[in-house]
């Protein structure tokens, strides 16, 4: 995974990042991107690295953090890594600012566990918000993770909140254009994510997302919460909160980057739950269903355009 990330030299965003990097190297520091990412570029440029080596540095930082997080929390490390490599790893290698923000958010999710358990609630809530703000210095979309503070509520309350949110989404069907204008006004950079016609053409992908993010943990919670693995409740709550972003997702599929970080945590939680199941028939059936869903998500968001996979596999400095 590190080799494919570090030495890839052609994807949808590679040339843009290379251009930004070279502009900063020429002495222009205000290039209109987040301060955290600009600072990282400035630090690396102090040792006069070319962009391709900066890309290796980014990949190394990213993979170290991801592997450390998986090693710390996953009981089935290889299985989680395989799921993550299927989705959303390839997207992370393309959108590196978002990937770095996701790495910061992994620490925020560790803080979030303590918030949910109400241990030093006020202190950990403040720490969580601070970490989210730091993550937003690598990609502004990370600010949306403040919504996960809702984890302090129980499942029943969250189910009501999500139901209300999805009801708003249905109403928004009739006011799509006005909603797009409002979002573009509040978040000027948000216009880059908005394109016409996706409401109907991407309906299938939206429903697939909703099934994977909310459906699997819901079934898992009902199957094994009381008997095998109490933390399945926590996975379900995170999935419920993720579903609230479904409103933005229905405006444009590219808002999907807001959920990508959640997938790793859900993979870890679900695999830990399955690992502790005693009913092997149900366990293996769940494994199969999970793998099928993850590969379907990969197809919908990555493999449907064969260039995504081809660029990822083919354009690598180690074998060009």
């Amino acid at each position: 995974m590190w080799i494919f990330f570090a030495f890839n030299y052609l994807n949808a965003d590679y040339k843009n990042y290379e251009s930004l990097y070279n502009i900063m190297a020429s002495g222009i520091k205000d290039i209109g991107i987040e301060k955290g990412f600009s600072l990282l570029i400035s630090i690396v440029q102090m040792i006069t690295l070319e962009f391709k080596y900066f890309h290796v540095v980014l990949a190394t930082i990213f993979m170290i953090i991801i592997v450390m997080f998986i090693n710390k929390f996953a009981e089935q490390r290889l299985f989680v890594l395989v799921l993550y490599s299927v989705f959303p790893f390839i997207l992370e290698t393309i959108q590196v600012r978002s990937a770095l923000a996701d790495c910061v958010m992994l620490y925020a999710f560790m803080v979030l566990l303590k918030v949910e358990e109400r241990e030093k609630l006020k202190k950990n809530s403040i720490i969580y918000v601070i970490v989210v703000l730091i993550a937003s210095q690598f990609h502004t979309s990370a600010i949306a993770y403040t919504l996960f503070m809702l984890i302090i509520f129980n499942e029943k309350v969250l189910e009501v909140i999500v139901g209300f949110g999805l009801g708003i989404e249905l109403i928004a069907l009739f006011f799509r254009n006005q909603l797009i204008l409002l979002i573009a006004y509040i978040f000027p950079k948000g216009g880059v994510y908005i394109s016409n016609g996706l409401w109907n053409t991407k309906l299938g992908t939206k429903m697939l997302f909703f099934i994977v993010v909310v459906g699997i943990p819901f079934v898992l919670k009902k199957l094994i919460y009381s008997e095998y693995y109490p933390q399945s409740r926590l996975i379900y709550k995170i999935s419920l909160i993720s579903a609230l972003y479904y409103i933005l997702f229905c405006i444009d599929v590219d808002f999907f980057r807001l959920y990508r970080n959640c997938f790793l945590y859900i993979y870890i939680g679900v695999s830990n739950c399955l690992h502790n199941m005693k009913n092997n028939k149900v366990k293996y059936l769940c494994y199969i269903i999970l793998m099928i869903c993850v590969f379907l998500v990969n197809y919908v968001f990555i493999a449907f355009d064969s260039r995504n996979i081809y660029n990822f596999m083919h354009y690598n400095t180690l074998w060009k």
Side-chain angles (χ1 to χ4, degrees):
M1 291 172 67
W2 175 76
I3 289 173
F4 281 110
F5 189 170
F7 299 102
N8 178 265
Y9 64 91
L10 182 63
N11 58 52
D13 288 349
Y14 187 91
K15 294 297 181 182
N16 293 333
Y17 283 119
E18 184 177 28
S19 176
L20 290 173
Y21 186 86
N22 291 334
I23 289 173
M24 286 194 66
S26 69
I28 301 174
K29 300 304 179 184
D30 187 7
I31 56 174
I33 61 174
E34 293 82 355
K35 299 300 182 182
F37 192 70
S38 296
L39 178 61
L40 181 60
I41 291 177
S42 297
I43 293 172
V44 172
Q45 287 183 342
M46 291 173 65
I47 54 177
T48 63
L49 284 181
E50 295 180 34
F51 176 75
K52 62 181 179 181
Y53 299 116
F54 173 66
H55 197 253
V56 173
V57 171
L58 292 180
T60 304
I61 293 172
F62 177 80
M63 288 306 305
I64 288 174
I65 293 174
I66 292 295
V67 171
M68 287 177 62
F69 189 81
I70 291 174
N71 282 338
K72 182 175 178 62
F73 291 102
E75 295 182 29
Q76 302 184 84
R77 298 176 181 85
L78 182 59
F79 180 66
V80 170
L81 203 57
V82 169
L83 292 179
Y84 185 72
S85 68
V86 175
F87 187 87
F89 175 68
I90 293 178
L91 293 181
E92 301 283 35
T93 67
I94 297 172
Q95 298 160 343
V96 293
R97 285 184 298 132
S98 179
L100 292 174
D102 288 346
C103 286
V104 177
M105 284 306 304
L106 290 179
Y107 175 75
F109 274 108
M110 288 190 281
V111 175
L112 199 63
L113 297 180
K114 296 179 182 179
V115 171
E116 196 273 341
E117 295 168 0
R118 298 182 181 273
E119 298 175 2
K120 301 178 180 178
L121 177 61
K122 183 177 180 180
K123 176 183 176 181
N124 287 311
S125 298
I126 293 172
I127 293 173
Y128 178 75
V129 172
I130 291 173
V131 176
V132 169
L133 292 175
I134 293 172
S136 70
Q137 295 305 302
F138 290 95
H139 200 288
T140 51
S141 67
I143 199 71
Y145 284 117
T146 52
L147 195 59
F148 279 95
M149 290 300 299
L150 292 172
I151 202 170
I152 63 175
F153 296 108
N154 62 41
E155 302 100 298
K156 297 297 183 182
V157 173
L158 283 178
E159 286 169 354
V160 172
I161 293 173
V162 170
F164 180 74
L166 294 179
I168 292 176
E169 187 267 324
L170 290 176
I171 295 173
L173 280 168
F174 302 99
F175 301 98
R176 180 178 186 276
N177 292 333
Q178 292 84 349
L179 185 60
I180 288 175
L181 291 174
L182 177 63
I183 291 175
Y185 176 76
I186 298 174
F187 304 105
K189 290 184 179 180
V192 71
Y193 303 116
I194 297 172
S195 58
N196 294 323
L198 285 176
W199 197 288
N200 294 319
T201 58
K202 296 296 184 180
L203 181 61
T205 65
K206 298 165 193 170
M207 294 309 299
L208 180 61
F209 157 77
F210 189 73
I211 290 170
V212 172
V213 171
V214 180
I216 293 177
F218 175 78
V219 173
L220 196 66
K221 171 180 169 291
K222 295 299 183 182
L223 282 174
I224 67 175
Y225 165 53
S226 60
E227 184 178 354
Y228 298 110
Y229 204 76
Q231 281 199 7
S232 62
R233 177 178 59 88
L234 185 61
I235 305 162
Y236 178 55
K237 289 170 73 172
I238 288 177
S239 302
L240 276 174
I241 297 170
S242 299
L244 289 174
Y245 294 115
Y246 188 70
I247 299 170
L248 291 178
F249 186 58
C250 284
I251 295 173
D252 194 297
V253 72
D254 284 335
F255 273 114
F256 185 75
R257 72 177 61 194
L258 295 173
Y259 323 92
R260 289 211 303 257
N261 192 273
C262 304
F263 270 85
L264 179 58
Y265 190 83
I266 291 172
Y267 290 158
I268 291 173
V270 171
S271 65
N272 285 352
C273 290
L274 294 178
H275 180 71
N276 287 276
M277 288 185 69
K278 295 181 175 65
N279 187 328
N280 286 332
K281 289 184 179 179
V282 175
K283 177 192 292 188
Y284 295 135
L285 178 61
C286 289
Y287 275 129
I288 293 171
I289 293 173
L290 177 60
M291 288 296 295
I292 290 173
C293 288
V294 173
F295 274 100
L296 282 173
V297 172
N298 173 280
Y299 175 76
V300 168
F301 291 98
I302 301 175
F304 77 95
D305 185 346
S306 59
R307 291 173 299 178
N308 291 325
I309 302 294
Y310 180 80
N311 290 347
F312 178 73
M313 303 288 291
H314 180 74
Y315 293 105
N316 193 292
T317 56
L318 295 184
W319 51 76
K320 70 174 181 178

